[in-house]
Amino acid sequence: MKIVDLEPGDARLASEVLPVLRELRPHLTEESFSAVYAEGYGQGLRFTAAYDADGRCVGVAGWRVIANTSRLRKLYVDDLVTAEAARSGGVGQALLAYLEEAAVRQGCHCLDLDSGTRRTDAHRFYLRERMAIDAFHFSKPLGTP
């Protein structure tokens, strides 16, 4: 498996990464994804893709390093998705290990992510990867995105 960090403007974002990312975020269009990455890049947003031996994108992680008072410095995972056809093949584990190494290199004290309450398969995976459920995440919609 090959893991690659992708910069904004990379053609693979639309052609290879977005189809996998849409399995988790179906509301994304090429335009909205491009706009989010263009704005988010300045806020630390990065995308990393996992490719199988045949060169197919089989997993995607969106992440950023954040400094805050609760964790001081952490790597926060916005998105972690494995293509449905590649699930249970080690893709998520490889991406998570890559992100852990990136967090350590960047002086982070932890790796955090949120997972929707209905995503029980993902929760089992995170628990197997020795992640703990440390908090509740609360949300209040403020209008149409």
Side-chain angles (χ1 to χ4, degrees), residues 91-106:
V91 176
Q93 189 174 39
L95 277 169
L96 201 53
Y98 179 88
L99 296 175
E100 287 180 35
E101 291 171 9
V104 169
R105 280 193 313 273
Q106 296 186 51

Side-chain angles (χ1 to χ4, degrees), residues 45-115:
L45 179 61
R46 302 294 183 266
F47 280 93
T48 300
Y51 290 87
D52 67 11
D54 295 325
R56 288 184 301 251
C57 182
V58 291
V60 176
W63 57 277
R64 62 187 80 221
V65 172
I66 297 173
N68 67 17
T69 57
S70 67
R71 299 289 196 171
L72 302 179
R73 186 172 177 86
K74 68 179 180 178
L75 189 145
Y76 180 77
V77 181
D78 291 41
D79 307 289
L80 182 64
V81 58
T82 299
E84 185 174 356
R87 290 192 185 137
S88 298
V91 176
Q93 189 174 39
L95 277 169
L96 201 53
Y98 179 88
L99 296 175
E100 287 180 35
E101 291 171 9
V104 169
R105 280 193 313 273
Q106 296 186 51
C108 296
H109 302 285
C110 72
L111 183 146
D112 273 352
L113 59 80
D114 291 329
S115 182

Side-chain angles (χ1 to χ4, degrees), residues 24-25 76-81 96 111-127 131-139:
L24 180 66
R25 311 284 186 221
Y76 180 77
V77 181
D78 291 41
D79 307 289
L80 182 64
V81 58
L96 201 53
L111 183 146
D112 273 352
L113 59 80
D114 291 329
S115 182
T117 56
R118 296 181 186 159
R119 298 186 44 81
T120 55
D121 289 342
H123 304 161
R124 279 191 289 275
F125 167 72
Y126 299 135
L127 292 169
M131 297 185 81
I133 301 170
D134 287 344
F136 290 105
H137 174 93
F138 294 91
S139 178

